[in-house]
Amino acid sequence: MNPIERLRAQLERVAAELGAEGTAAQLERPRNPEHGDLATNLAMTLAGRLRRPPRLIADQILERLSLAEAGVAAAEVAGAGFINFRLAGGVVQGQLLHIVKADRDFGRAAAPTGQRWQVEFVSANPTGPLHVAHGRGAALGDAIASLLQWSGHEVEREFYVNDAGVQIGKLGESLDARWRELQGQSASIPDGGYHGSYVTELARQVDAEQHERLASLDADARVAFLKDWGVAALEREQDETLRAFGVRMDSYYPESRVYQEKLVETTLQELAARGLTYEGEGALWLRTTDFGDDKDRVLVKSDGTYTYFAPDIAYHRDKIGRGFDHGIDIWGADHHGYVPRMKAALAALGHPEFLTVEIVQMVRIVRGGEEVKMSKRAGDFVTLRELFEETGADVARYFFLMRRGDAQMLFDLDLALDHSEKNPVYKVQYAHARLASIFRKAGLDPAALEAQNADLTRLTLRVEQDLIKQLDRFPDVVTRAAEGRSPHLVCEYLEETSGMVNSWYHGGNPSRNPELAVLVGDPALRAARLVLARGIQVVLRNGLELLGLTAPDRMEREETA
RNA sequence: GCGCUCGUAGCUCAGUUGGAUAGAGCGUUGGCCUCCGGAGCCAAAGGUCGCGCGUUCGAAUCGCGCCGAGCGCACCA
């Protein structure tokens, strides 16, 4: 049990003694250091219930606390009724030992929750390469999945492949048109078809590999063949892009499976059995308005075919059937209007709480103050791959993650390509690499450090203690980020921590302040500071890896002219 | 017209679920430094939290109404 938990337990006991049973005491780390290490607003929240002024209640709470037992050196009532606590010497340093020993588990939930979660993301149609917005969804979905794992849930990452339906047909026809052009015939891309240059490129490839076969097929068979070939090629391309981007899916679920396994039929039967569908104007409707939607939605069109909605419900129903307790979908902003009906459909099936949809907003890329358009002009980015091949996967991922997903973002390409510490990614990675460099200089393996032999009470400097307190916040940040599906909180934390680390590090510049360097002459102090260096490394590495980035031991030096 | 998201420093954005004097990075200005690893360090200036009303001990945060930006409102996918 850490100091926070001990103190919280005491506060809740005292609240009960004062007549407010079942109160959850909030303990926070004040931004302002003058407010101590920990603070609670308990007295203010009890004021209404106990019908006494907050400051009086605060005094009464203080009288009943066993401060020494909780590792608190001093406490005082402040402001409108806050109680501020200052931790005893040695308590803070003790947390450092815990961090180093926990190592890769520091920040991770102590025990599994037993819950199975599924995160569905990217889910691009196999009709073209992944573009930049998919990248943001990929980075976000992957990081959210990791956060849930760190919170103790069992998590599966899934990509839903729309390999059936109209779009795919258009791909086949577009590919066929380009292929015929290659044969010297006149042909044109159909309405709603794909005009991208990648289609021409694919036509060239398939012609090189399968020319005779294509020439021998009649028109319908050829389009069908090109469709299958094109889908397979684009799926492979998307998969390779994601891998290069550092995203590994656990499962690819093809829409065609929904049809093969007759899932739409069984889903419609269940909805009908629940009395939630009706016929009207020649179509079959679902009463989504019973579950909060604006209007009822069509499941089967008057021409007898399914809307997109029907197989999508069937797919989500299947997720529940596969035993997941909770599903998170990462959708692009252009689909946000679709959320109420999907939730309504699942509510109609008896699972109103299953689905959470996270909306990923648009990304605009800016270079030299000018927006880079998503057109095919020279030098502009069209695909995700082009973007991260220029910036590096770590940088692109971090940039996508450092802003809230549900707000539009500007991707500053100049900043992304900057290799100094102005670039937040390098700021964090440099901090990690510097510490590795210290261990190299000392000739030590940081992972083999015997932290328990060091006298950590030697870490008496303000910066050192502030750093330890900062490191100790990490698990809290992870929990908060997981609850809010907000990886950007981890980014902010890492940048803030790295700022402190870099400042601490530079403060110990041997040419100026050798007594502040990690590798000082005093062996005991040196040993203690090495433990701190190790603790920092553990936290930065855990944070970076949680976000899907690497934690390098050395940065590549750029050969600049 | 209706719905969703958003509006915070010159710019890009946070804001611990309603807490104390609203923060960070970049940019700007001033001063150091050339290193246990860099274009680094320290400091300063910079705010009507879009506007108004309300809720309460307390509002950037919650509610209502305006103003503005983006997206969405199919028997398309």
Side-chain angles (χ1 to χ4, degrees):
Chain A
M1 204 194 277
N2 66 31
I4 299 184
E5 287 160 354
R6 280 201 296 267
L7 192 52
R8 181 178 290 127
Q10 281 206 29
L11 285 167
E12 290 174 358
R13 168 181 58 81
V14 171
E17 286 173 16
L18 291 174
E21 289 84 8
T23 306
Q26 289 180 44
L27 263 180
E28 44 179 42
R29 300 165 213 255
R31 305 173 230 264
N32 187 339
E34 286 174 19
H35 297 147
D37 298 316
L38 292 169
T40 182
N41 61 356
L42 182 62
M44 286 138 90
T45 58
L46 292 181
R49 216 165 138 186
L50 301 181
R51 306 188 140 278
R52 266 170 281 167
R55 288 195 64 111
L56 178 65
I57 298 174
D59 288 332
Q60 292 172 332
I61 292 172
L62 261 188
E63 283 167 21
R64 290 161 194 264
L65 288 173
S66 314
L67 294 177
E69 205 173 286
V72 173
E76 57 176 10
V77 178
F82 290 96
I83 307 176
N84 297 334
F85 302 97
R86 211 165 292 278
L87 293 174
V91 172
V92 173
Q93 290 94 330
Q95 286 304 107
L96 176 59
L97 184 59
H98 168 70
I99 292 167
V100 171
K101 285 169 92 170
D103 201 355
R104 289 197 176 272
D105 287 330
F106 183 64
R108 225 174 257 278
T113 60
Q115 289 180 37
R116 293 186 64 212
W117 288 55
Q118 193 226 40
V119 183
E120 183 216 321
F121 58 110
V122 187
S123 296
N125 291 348
T127 53
L130 296 179
H131 53 256
V132 171
H134 290 127
R136 192 178 188 192
L140 207 65
D142 196 35
I144 288 172
S146 290
L147 281 168
L148 293 171
Q149 286 174 315
W150 278 67
S151 304
H153 303 309
E154 192 184 320
V155 179
E156 183 185 275
R157 293 163 169 82
E158 183 160 283
F159 184 132
Y160 181 57
V161 186
N162 292 112
D163 65 342
V166 184
Q167 303 300 324
I168 297 300
K170 297 283 184 196
L171 175 72
E173 293 169 35
S174 304
L175 208 41
D176 185 57
R178 292 299 185 217
W179 182 80
R180 274 154 49 211
E181 285 175 356
L182 286 179
Q183 312 311 310
Q185 304 171 22
S186 71
S188 57
I189 301 287
D191 278 354
Y194 298 93
H195 294 264
S197 58
Y198 67 92
V199 180
T200 313
E201 184 51 40
L202 284 174
R204 239 178 245 126
Q205 273 180 40
V206 72
D207 188 55
E209 291 172 21
Q210 303 280 347
H211 178 80
E212 275 156 40
R213 174 152 191 189
L214 284 165
S216 71
L217 293 172
D218 66 32
D220 285 351
R222 193 178 64 233
V223 171
F225 177 84
L226 286 171
K227 181 190 79 175
D228 291 343
W229 190 92
V231 166
L234 286 164
E235 282 179 0
R236 197 167 346 109
E237 155 67 20
Q238 291 183 352
D239 185 44
E240 283 167 8
T241 300
L242 285 178
R243 278 169 188 274
F245 194 50
V247 175
R248 216 163 268 268
M249 294 288 173
D250 299 306
S251 149
Y252 285 83
Y253 190 108
E255 184 186 356
S256 52
R257 186 185 302 166
V258 172
Y259 296 107
Q260 276 163 22
E261 298 182 5
K262 305 275 182 218
L263 297 181
V264 183
E265 288 77 358
T266 49
T267 301
L268 294 188
Q269 280 162 20
E270 180 175 344
L271 289 168
R274 287 170 176 263
L276 296 169
T277 61
Y278 63 94
E279 288 186 29
E281 301 163 60
L284 185 72
W285 298 72
L286 177 64
R287 291 185 200 281
T288 51
T289 48
D290 286 4
F291 304 93
D293 198 8
D294 302 348
K295 52 175 289 199
D296 289 341
R297 307 290 172 175
V298 171
L299 296 168
V300 183
K301 295 184 257 181
S302 51
D303 67 3
T305 62
Y306 296 129
T307 58
Y308 179 80
F309 190 35
D312 216 15
I313 299 171
Y315 165 55
H316 281 83
R317 177 171 171 268
D318 185 60
K319 293 186 185 187
I320 298 165
R322 283 188 274 158
F324 294 109
D325 300 298
H326 205 90
I328 294 182
D329 284 7
I330 313 284
W331 289 358
D334 52 342
H335 285 82
H336 78 258
Y338 196 73
V339 176
R341 85 184 68 164
M342 195 65 235
K343 288 193 152 185
L346 290 176
L349 290 166
H351 301 280
E353 303 292 335
F354 178 78
L355 181 68
T356 304
V357 180
E358 295 295 328
I359 295 299
V360 185
Q361 286 284 353
M362 213 171 85
V363 181
R364 287 188 298 152
I365 298 182
V366 177
R367 174 177 352 224
E370 298 268 318
E371 183 165 353
V372 177
K373 294 289 180 195
M374 298 289 291
S375 66
K376 194 57 200 173
R377 281 176 300 142
D380 286 355
F381 289 115
V382 179
T383 66
L384 170 61
R385 185 183 280 278
E386 286 169 322
L387 175 68
F388 74 73
E389 280 180 351
E390 181 157 351
T391 64
D394 279 352
V395 171
R397 285 187 74 129
Y398 192 91
F399 271 54
F400 285 136
L401 293 173
M402 71 183 180
R403 304 296 180 215
R404 289 177 41 184
D406 62 359
Q408 294 180 22
M409 69 169 285
L410 280 186
F411 191 113
D412 182 343
L413 203 51
D414 299 314
L415 182 61
L417 294 172
D418 186 325
H419 281 235
S420 77
E421 286 180 35
K422 284 178 200 166
N423 184 332
V425 186
Y426 292 123
K427 176 179 176 177
V428 177
Q429 290 186 329
Y430 273 130
H432 182 269
R434 283 195 173 110
L435 303 180
S437 163
I438 291 176
F439 281 104
R440 278 198 299 276
K441 185 158 189 108
L444 293 171
D445 173 9
L449 201 64
E450 308 234 347
Q452 66 279 3
N453 296 338
D455 178 10
L456 299 180
T457 60
R458 294 296 305 276
L459 300 174
T460 53
L461 297 176
R462 175 66 175 275
V463 266
E464 293 167 340
Q465 304 220 357
D466 285 350
L467 259 171
I468 297 170
K469 288 177 194 168
Q470 174 73 3
L471 298 180
D472 200 32
R473 282 183 52 209
F474 181 64
D476 217 41
V477 170
V478 173
T479 304
R480 210 174 285 280
E483 283 171 357
R485 262 85 62 182
S486 304
H488 75 275
L489 295 178
V490 179
C491 295
E492 294 227 325
Y493 169 80
L494 289 176
E495 286 174 53
E496 190 182 329
T497 307
S498 300
M500 293 171 69
V501 169
N502 290 331
S503 175
W504 170 68
Y505 169 86
H506 287 292
N509 182 333
S511 71
R512 244 185 316 169
N513 299 309
E515 75 283 2
L516 296 179
V518 174
L519 303 179
V520 280
D522 178 345
L525 184 54
R526 177 185 177 121
R529 284 184 181 159
L530 280 166
V531 176
L532 176 54
R534 178 58 185 162
I536 295 166
Q537 239 187 344
V538 164
V539 169
L540 292 181
R541 181 249 283 142
N542 287 5
L544 284 166
E545 290 185 356
L546 162 58
L547 296 177
L549 277 77
T550 58
D553 281 342
R554 59 179 80 217
M555 302 296 280
E556 285 174 33
R557 288 168 192 264
E558 296 246 313
E559 299 301 326
T560 47

